Every structure is written in structure tokens, then in C-alpha cells.
């Protein structure tokens, strides 16, 4: 096999070969002595938490660290190319030609000013000497291949006219334009709803079968890896802690870190151990439903701390008006958690903001009272955007105390220190700023700020969706601990069905602004009645690769029926 410009010419059976890879950024060693191989047509999952080095490895495969000041050592060969030694021209031919990458956020990878089809055609023309007409035809072809309906017309659409799932499909289409041997997918489904995620994972599986391309999947979600790959490499602090067939690693992990990682994964099929207060609430509610005339049941009924009746919220005017929430009624009892689950656009966040008083209902009412209520607080999805970067976290937590009329600065500071310590931080963190904390720590700050108002109800809007699985488990455990100690009621809004089951006593499933099903969590999850609820549960990734394959086959049959 000969070599030209760092490229070995001939048939390549080993698609990727990484030997003792190191990547350093100053004093930080992001990747430390990593080695692995990927055969043609195979799929390998790089799994790990934020900071494990997995995305750094993916970038190294395409030489994306070149010119950044990063120190890269070891050997990286991709599709016959020595990435370290190849010229810039050879790397240019590799990127998009022999190997392509799909990133987590398609909006940052697509030009907002140009039509999707034009962007795909331009990539194709870089690697293939064809006319503009031929490149446009190729763009339409690959858009059809990834399941974009009416591809000819939609190829003229700009990125903002596509949904999140369609944008990700468009990125995959762009990657497929030159028929690469290797597709590198870096967290390709993290921001997607569960049903859209299942569609993207099914698409990647089908494309592998049809084209024989290899897949390197980078993900922090163990369930996504189980759905998609043949082998798993678990990373921590830049090193491999475990590597093997996906069934063996997930079924019988040998490394303690892998065991801890799997132990922190919420399971959609696992029942929650209810607290005593929650069990009483559910039992009483059940008794009341079966015998509304019973005075004993009425006396045993738990205290209702929040009630919504016939809530409706419209946006827009005239013919463009639409109802984001439409005729929603619910109750929340002291000490319980009500989970509200649904996909993007279901209205769950709008509902949560109305419950807190941040949005006024177009119709319906919230009891008791209305408007902004200090006894109902909110923990937001993104603590970065909800914390002022120019103010210390202590000052942000102190806001509810000052809003209630507290003026003694020494007492305020002392109370804030207590709250910081209560959520697992240090009182001395009062004077630190948001950028000095990790994502999980910032979420703890958000919880402390909510607690400062001494609420009876906390509405949590996707509070763990941006966190790693172990950090997610820590925050969920903290919320449960606070609930037990303070008798708080929680309204937990999320699109992650497994997390919602883990934390909830009762669940309401939303679709297109309405609640389509609600009841005790175990009943909704174990015996769903509404077809939409069944569809959501069927799309949740399974940790068992055999179960994942069965579900994929069932979805394929349903799609072709």
C-alpha cells in the first residue's frame, strides 16, 4: 500500500486507528493516552460526562485542533490518512469527503442566511467537480434520503424554517452528500424530544445498513449509545476506563465508574419509592375518588396548595392567534410531586409560568389568588440565563428576602449562607459569580434562590435537562430531600420521561396544549391509555441492546404500515 501526501492508497479495513492520543490545552490534559480502533461499517460509542474528553477526541479525528494552540500527541489514522502528518490540503479532502461530522447544535453549523439545499450543494461541490445543477439535485436526493418530506420545496427553506429534528436531519444529509466512509456524530440528539431522538437514531442505523459507513457516536447518554453502537468506550478525565461490546459493558460493567454511571441513569421502567407524605396523598385521593360522599375520605384528603381550573393561554392576535395551553385543570397537594411531561410545543413550560404567575391566563383561574406569588417559586432550565452574571450569587439569592421587606444586611447574609449550605454549597460562596460554578452548582444556586422565599410550591422547568447523569441524580436527590424536610410540593416539568417517573407521584401528559392523560405515575407508565403516551414511552432509549433492536423493528413496522 503506497502513501501520497500522508494518504495511504488502497482498501482500508481499519477505518479509525488511534494510538496513545494526547491532547493538551496549556496545563490541562484533556485526552491522556487514549487508544482504540474502528472497523469499516462498525459503530463505536464514546460515552462520558462533560469534561471527559470525548468531544476533544472527535475533533482530533479530523485534525480540528490544528492551528488552535492545542498540543496533540500520539497517532491518529482515519480512512488511511495520518491526520498528524497530512497536509492541509489532504485534511481538507478528508473532512466532508471521507469523514464527516454532525454536531450537537445544528443552528451553529448552518448559515442562517442561505437555503438548506444551497448549503448542502456547496459542500458537495467542494469535493466533487460537478455543475451547480448537479449539486442542487444531489442536495435534494440526500434530503429525501434522510426523510425530509417535499424535499424539492424544503431545500429552498432556511434553517429557521425547520424544526430542531429537521435541522438535524439536514446536517446528516450534508454529511452524507459525499458518501463518507465515517460519520462522527457529536451529541446529535441531546436537544431533541424523545420521539424525534428515536427517529434520528433509527435513521443513523438505517444509513449504516444501507451505506456500510462507520459511526463514531459521542454521547453522555448511555441509553442513546445502547440504541446505536456495537461497542462502547467509557471515558473519564481523558482516559478509557472500560471498552468492549455494548451488551457486555452495559450488562456487566467491570469498572466502578461505569457501574456508578449506569446506577445514576433514571429508568423509565423503575417504580419510584414514594415518601410517606406522597403515599398518604395518593391513598387519600384514591379513596376520595372511589367514595366522594365519604366524610372519612374527605377528612383524610391532603391539603391542596395549588389548583388550576380551565387554564388557557393564547399568543398572537386575530387569525394568527393560537392557544399554547387550552383548558388545563390540575391540583397539587402538599408534599407531593406532580410531573408534567410532553414534547417541545406541548405547552408545559407555558403552563409552568402561569402557575408561578409569570404569565397571565387568557382564561381560567389559579387558586388561591393570582399574579406573582411568593409561595410559588420557579427553578429554571438554564441557571446561566436566570442569574445576573454581574452580581454575586449571594446577592441573587438575597433578592426574595429583600422583596419581603428584610433590611438587616447581617441577617440577610446569614440566611443566604444557610441556604447555600442547605443546597450543598459553601456559605463562603456568597461573593462568587455565576461563571465560577459548574452547571450543577449553578442549578443548586437556583434552588437556593427559590427556597429564600419560603415557598409552599416550587415549579421546576426542565431543571436537569442540561446536566450530566450523575449531576442530574444529585440535583434530583437534593430536591427530594428538601421536599421531605420542608413539606414542599413540586411541579416537575420535563420532556425526559425517565426522570419524570423517578421523581413524580402523579403525572400529567401534555400534547398540543392539552392534558391527554393524568394519574398516579405507576399507572400512567405501566398502563398508558392514550396513544400519544404509548408513543412517547415506546421511544425512550433502552439500556438493553436487544430490547433496543426490538423497539427499532417495531417502530419500522409501524412507520411502513
Amino acid at each position: 500500500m503506497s502513501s501520497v501526501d500522508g494518504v495511504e492508497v488502497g482498501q482500508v479495513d481499519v477505518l479509525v486507528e488511534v494510538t496513545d492520543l494526547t491532547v493538551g490545552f496549556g496545563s490541562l490534559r484533556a485526552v491522556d493516552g487514549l487508544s482504540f480502533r474502528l472497523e469499516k461499517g462498525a459503530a463505536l460509542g464514546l460515552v462520558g460526562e462533560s469534561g471527559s474528553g470525548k468531544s476533544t477526541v472527535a475533533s482530533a479525528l479530523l485534525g480540528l485542533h490544528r492551528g488552535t494552540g492545542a498540543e496533540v500527541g500520539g497517532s491518529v489514522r482515519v480512512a488511511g490518512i495520518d491526520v498528524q502528518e497530512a497536509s492541509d490540503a489532504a485534511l481538507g479532502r478528508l473532512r466532508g469527503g471521507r469523514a464527516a461530522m454532525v454536531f450537537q447544535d445544528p443552528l451553529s453549523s448552518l448559515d442562517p442566511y442561505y437555503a438548506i439545499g444551497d448549503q448542502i450543494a456547496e459542500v458537495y461541490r467542494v469535493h466533487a467537480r460537478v455543475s451547480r445543477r448537479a449539486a442542487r439535485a444531489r442536495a435534494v436526493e440526500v434530503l429525501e434520503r434522510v426523510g425530509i418530506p417535499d424535499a424539492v420545496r424544503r431545500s429552498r427553506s432556511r434553517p429557521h424554517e425547520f424544526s430542531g429534528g429537521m435541522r438535524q436531519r439536514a446536517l446528516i444529509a450534508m454529511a452524507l452528500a459525499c458518501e463518507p466512509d465515517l460519520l462522527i456524530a457529536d451529541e446529535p440528539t441531546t436537544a431533541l424530544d424523545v420521539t424525534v431522538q428515536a427517529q434520528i437514531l433509527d435513521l443513523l442505523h438505517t444509513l449504516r445498513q444501507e451505506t456500510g459507513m462507520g459511526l463514531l457516536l459521542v454521547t453522555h447518554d448511555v441509553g442513546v449509545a445502547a440504541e446505536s453502537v456495537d461497542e462502547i468506550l467509557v471515558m473519564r478525565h481523558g482516559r478509557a476506563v472500560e471498552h468492549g461490546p455494548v451488551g457486555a459493558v452495559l450488562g456487566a460493567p467491570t469498572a466502578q465508574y461505569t457501574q456508578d454511571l449506569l446506577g445514576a441513569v433514571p429508568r423509565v421502567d423503575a417504580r419510584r419509592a414514594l415518601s410517606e407524605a406522597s403515599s398518604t396523598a395518593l391513598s387519600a385521593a384514591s379513596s376520595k375518588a372511589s367514595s366522594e360522599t365519604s366524610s372519612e375520605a374527605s377528612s383524610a384528603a391532603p391539603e391542596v396548595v395549588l389548583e388550576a381550573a380551565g387554564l388557557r393561554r393564547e399568543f398572537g392576535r386575530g387569525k394568527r392567534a393560537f392557544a399554547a395551553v387550552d383548558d388545563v385543570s390540575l391540583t397539587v397537594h402538599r408534599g407531593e410531586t406532580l410531573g408534567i411531561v410532553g414534547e417541545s410545543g406541548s405547552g408545559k413550560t407555558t403552563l409552568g409560568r402561569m402557575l408561578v404567575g409569570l404569565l397571565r391566563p387568557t382564561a381560567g383561574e389559579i387558586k388561591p389568588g393570582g399574579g406573582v406569588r411568593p409561595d410559588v417559586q420557579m427553578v429554571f432550565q438554564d441557571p446561566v440565563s436566570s442569574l445576573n452574571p454581574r452580581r454575586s450569587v449571594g446577592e441573587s439569592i438575597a433578592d426574595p428576602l429583600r422583596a419581603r421587606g428584610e433590611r438587616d444586611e447581617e441577617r440577610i447574609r446569614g440566611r443566604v449562607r444557610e441556604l447555600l449550605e442547605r443546597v450543598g454549597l459553601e456559605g463562603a460562596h456568597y461573593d462568587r459569580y455565576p461563571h465560577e460554578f459548574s452547571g450543577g452548582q449553578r442549578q443548586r444556586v437556583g434552588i437556593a434562590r427559590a427556597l429564600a422565599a419560603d415557598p409552599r410550591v416550587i415549579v421546576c422547568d426542565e431543571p436537569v435537562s442540561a446536566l450530566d447523569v450523575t449531576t442530574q441524580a444529585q440535583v434530583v436527590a437534593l430536591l427530594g430531600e428538601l421536599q421531605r424536610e420542608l413539606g414542599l410540593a413540586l411541579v416537575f416539568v420535563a420532556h425526559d420521561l425517565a426522570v419524570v417517573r423517578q421523581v413524580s407521584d402523579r403525572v400529567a401528559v401534555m400534547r398540543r396544549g392539552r392534558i391527554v392523560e393524568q394519574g398516579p405515575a405507576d399507572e400512567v407508565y405501566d398502563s398508558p391509555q392514550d396513544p400519544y403516551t404509548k408513543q412517547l414511552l415506546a421511544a425512550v432509549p433502552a439500556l438493553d441492546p436487544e430490547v433496543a433492536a426490538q423497539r427499532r423493528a417495531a417502530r419500522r413496522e409501524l412507520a411502513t404500515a
Side-chain angles (χ1 to χ4, degrees), residues 202-462:
D202 289 350
L203 172 62
L204 291 175
H205 183 81
T206 300
L207 292 171
R208 276 184 59 211
Q209 288 183 321
E210 293 177 353
T211 66
M213 70 178 183
L215 173 66
L216 183 78
L217 178 67
V218 177
T219 180
H220 71 275
D221 191 323
V222 181
V224 167
E227 290 265 347
S228 312
V229 301
D230 310 313
E231 293 189 357
I232 281 184
L233 192 158
V234 181
M235 292 189 66
R236 187 187 190 196
H237 302 325
R239 292 179 171 271
V241 298
E242 191 155 3
H243 183 193
V246 59
V249 172
L250 298 185
T254 58
Q256 184 61 50
Y257 176 72
T258 309
Q259 295 172 17
D260 293 342
L261 201 62
L262 286 169
V265 175
R267 309 295 178 100
V268 76
D269 56 352
R271 293 187 168 217
R272 180 194 184 198
L274 300 182
S275 65
E276 183 177 345
S278 299
S279 299
T280 301
L282 285 177
S283 176
S286 177
S287 297
K288 188 175 182 181
S290 62
S291 179
E292 292 188 1
T293 59
S294 169
S295 59
E296 293 182 8
S298 298
S299 63
E303 179 187 3
V304 174
V305 292
L306 186 64
E307 183 176 2
L311 289 187
R312 180 180 176 88
R313 174 67 194 200
E314 295 178 357
F315 292 96
R317 294 181 178 178
K319 294 181 178 179
R320 295 187 176 182
F322 73 96
V325 173
D326 186 12
D327 193 24
V328 167
S329 299
L330 55 83
T331 57
V332 183
H333 301 97
R334 183 179 186 275
E336 76 162 346
T337 299
L338 172 66
I340 299 178
V341 68
E343 297 181 285
S344 297
S346 64
K348 60 187 187 298
T349 292
T350 300
L351 173 60
R353 289 175 178 269
M354 283 195 289
L355 295 177
V356 176
L358 296 178
L359 284 175
R360 286 190 175 184
T362 306
E365 62 177 335
I366 299 173
K367 305 173 185 177
V372 177
R373 298 170 50 200
D375 61 334
V376 182
Q377 291 292 308
M378 196 165 200
V379 174
F380 296 90
Q381 175 179 356
D382 181 10
V384 175
S385 62
S386 61
L387 293 171
N388 190 330
R390 294 181 176 86
R391 300 180 71 210
S392 72
V393 297
E395 287 300 298
S396 291
I397 295 171
D399 283 343
L401 300 174
R402 295 194 174 102
R404 289 191 307 180
E406 180 64 63
R407 295 291 180 264
D408 187 325
E409 288 300 317
E410 186 174 340
R411 290 181 61 181
I412 290 174
R413 204 171 183 90
R415 176 59 177 154
V416 171
R417 286 199 185 99
E418 289 176 7
L419 289 167
L420 283 168
E421 291 170 359
R422 185 64 199 80
V423 298
L425 300 173
E426 297 179 18
H429 289 164
Y430 186 109
D431 296 311
R432 290 191 180 182
Y433 289 82
H435 72 272
E436 299 179 76
F437 294 87
S438 67
Q441 289 175 323
R442 283 193 291 262
Q443 200 57 286
R444 289 172 184 267
V445 171
I447 294 170
R449 183 175 58 182
L451 291 175
D454 292 328
R456 303 182 77 193
V457 184
I458 295 181
V459 177
C460 304
D461 184 16
E462 299 278 10

Side-chain angles (χ1 to χ4, degrees), residues 105-120 136 143 148 153-171 174 192:
D105 180 14
L107 275 181
S108 65
S109 306
L110 294 168
D111 192 314
Y113 297 105
Y114 292 93
I116 293 287
D118 290 342
Q119 296 185 56
I120 297 174
R136 285 282 306 175
L143 283 171
I148 298 292
R153 181 179 65 85
R154 296 313 301 265
S155 69
R156 295 189 287 269
S157 301
R158 288 174 172 78
H160 74 273
E161 299 177 90
F162 275 27
S163 67
M166 287 179 66
R167 283 194 292 265
Q168 200 60 282
R169 287 175 183 269
L171 268 191
M174 186 181 293
L192 302 179

Side-chain angles (χ1 to χ4, degrees), residues 7-221:
V7 182
E8 293 186 356
V9 181
Q11 183 69 28
V12 181
D13 292 324
V14 179
L15 192 55
V16 177
E17 187 166 15
V18 174
T19 306
D20 198 26
L21 174 65
T22 61
V23 182
F25 301 93
S27 60
L28 173 66
R29 182 66 66 89
V31 181
D32 190 7
L34 189 71
S35 300
F36 65 87
R37 290 159 58 103
L38 177 64
E39 306 289 334
K40 285 194 69 175
L44 171 68
L46 291 185
V47 177
E49 298 178 283
S50 297
S52 62
K54 57 189 187 298
S55 291
T56 304
V57 174
S59 296
L61 296 187
L62 296 182
L64 297 179
H65 296 306
R66 184 172 292 188
T68 66
E71 298 179 1
V72 182
S75 172
V76 177
R77 308 189 76 86
V78 177
I81 296 177
D82 186 328
V83 175
Q84 298 286 73
E85 300 297 329
S87 65
D88 289 342
L91 277 182
R93 291 191 292 272
L94 172 68
R95 299 168 184 164
R98 304 293 301 280
M101 195 163 184
V102 175
F103 295 92
Q104 175 178 348
D105 180 14
L107 275 181
S108 65
S109 306
L110 294 168
D111 192 314
Y113 297 105
Y114 292 93
I116 293 287
D118 290 342
Q119 296 185 56
I120 297 174
E122 185 62 28
V123 168
Y124 186 56
R125 292 192 72 209
V126 168
H127 296 278
R129 296 181 179 180
V130 298
S131 66
R132 291 185 181 275
R133 175 177 292 183
R136 285 282 306 175
R138 177 61 174 166
V140 171
E141 179 186 342
V142 291
L143 283 171
E144 288 178 338
R145 192 174 194 177
V146 299
I148 298 292
D150 196 4
V152 174
R153 181 179 65 85
R154 296 313 301 265
S155 69
R156 295 189 287 269
S157 301
R158 288 174 172 78
H160 74 273
E161 299 177 90
F162 275 27
S163 67
M166 287 179 66
R167 283 194 292 265
Q168 200 60 282
R169 287 175 183 269
L171 268 191
I172 294 172
M174 186 181 293
L176 292 175
C178 299
E179 298 184 347
D181 299 315
L182 171 67
L183 181 65
I184 302 169
D186 188 0
E187 300 279 10
T189 64
T190 296
L192 302 179
D193 290 319
V194 62
T195 55
V196 181
Q197 172 179 269
Q199 293 166 9
I200 296 299
L201 296 179
D202 289 350
L203 172 62
L204 291 175
H205 183 81
T206 300
L207 292 171
R208 276 184 59 211
Q209 288 183 321
E210 293 177 353
T211 66
M213 70 178 183
L215 173 66
L216 183 78
L217 178 67
V218 177
T219 180
H220 71 275
D221 191 323

